[in-house]
Amino acid sequence: MDPTMDNTKHILNYLMPIIDQVNPELHDFMQRAEVGTIFALSWLITWFGHVLSDFRHVVRLYDFFLACHPLMPIYFAAVIVLHRSEEVLACECDMASVHHLLSQIPQDLPYETLISRAGDLFVQFPPSELAREAAQQQAERTAASTFKDFELASAQQHPDAVLRQRFRERLRAEERAKSLLVTKTRTNRFVKLAVMGLTVALGAAALAVVKSALEWAPKFELQIFP
């Protein structure tokens, strides 16, 4: 919930060094594909809260992350990528294919096994040993780091931005409904006034006709019956 995405992007820089320590082949493949780390952005900023459908898995991960180092979510993200290494290596080595595969997180992951493995990786490769490689990741210019829509994607996936957008959409919908109601009420009022005015006009005209008829009736009778 920081005002900018700087800290988030800094944490994402630890993802590739972790993968490199465990599976250099997978790391090199992802580097050639220039997929970057933007596929894991939504995982990190919500702690997998809006990409997992089972609430039990979400709260289990929240307990794990709250009890551990602040960088543990990125270790868990790395474990997910490593767990799917065979799928990644089997797809086309281009950014679109790899990004599409990794962004679709499976719902049937062995969460307890992955949690245990993430903890082991944190002990084997602590953040202090990966800090230099993470800084190099920040300096490297890949297709993902120079992607023009990165900031836009970051803003759109930011939780508070999503909530604000939904609130604005709901507010606009309510305003449109109120506007239609007011327009309908005014229209009904105008129709009623028009009908009343027409009724009064017709009544006045009818009264005038009757009055004129009564005034001319005696003269007409005298002409007929002298």
Side-chain angles (χ1 to χ4, degrees), residues 4 70 92 134-135 162 170 186 215:
T4 68
E92 296 291 332
V162 174
R170 185 175 61 183
R186 290 179 178 175
E215 292 177 353

Side-chain angles (χ1 to χ4, degrees), residues 127-171:
S128 58
E129 295 183 4
L130 303 176
R132 179 177 299 179
E133 285 141 355
Q136 291 176 354
Q137 289 289 325
Q138 177 69 23
E140 289 179 359
R141 301 184 60 84
T142 63
S145 63
T146 58
F147 191 48
K148 293 181 180 180
D149 292 337
F150 183 85
E151 293 296 337
L152 179 60
S154 301
Q156 290 176 344
Q157 295 185 59
H158 210 288
D160 58 338
V162 174
L163 292 176
R164 286 197 299 269
Q165 181 180 358
R166 291 179 179 176
F167 176 77
R168 287 194 295 266
E169 291 175 354
R170 185 175 61 183
L171 187 61

Side-chain angles (χ1 to χ4, degrees), residues 180-197:
L180 290 174
L181 181 60
V182 171
T183 302
K184 184 177 180 181
T185 303
R186 290 179 178 175
T187 302
N188 292 338
R189 186 181 302 170
F190 290 150
V191 171
K192 291 180 180 179
L193 291 174
V195 171
M196 292 175 60

Side-chain angles (χ1 to χ4, degrees), residues 25-130:
E25 181 185 4
L26 176 62
H27 173 269
D28 294 343
F29 180 87
M30 294 177 65
Q31 289 290 83
R32 291 197 306 272
E34 297 185 333
V35 67
T37 57
I38 193 172
F39 66 87
L41 175 64
S42 60
W43 303 356
L44 181 62
I45 61 178
T46 63
W47 281 2
F48 301 86
H50 83 287
V51 295
L52 299 180
S53 58
D54 194 328
F55 183 69
R56 295 173 302 172
H57 298 153
V58 175
V59 295
R60 177 68 181 94
L61 288 179
Y62 274 34
D63 286 342
F64 175 55
F65 295 151
L66 288 171
C68 298
H69 191 276
L71 290 180
M72 187 58 72
I74 203 66
Y75 279 83
F76 189 80
V79 166
I80 292 179
V81 177
L82 292 166
H83 179 73
R84 305 182 66 193
S85 59
E86 293 183 2
E87 298 177 66
V88 176
L89 294 173
C91 73
E92 296 291 332
C93 187
D94 61 78
M95 184 177 68
S97 300
V98 179
H99 181 276
H100 177 72
L101 175 65
L102 291 176
S103 61
Q104 305 296 320
I105 185 170
Q107 299 296 316
D108 58 347
L109 294 172
Y111 292 97
E112 292 302 325
T113 301
L114 297 181
I115 286 173
S116 177
R117 191 179 182 190
D120 292 340
L121 289 182
F122 183 85
V123 174
Q124 294 175 11
F125 312 108
S128 58
E129 295 183 4
L130 303 176

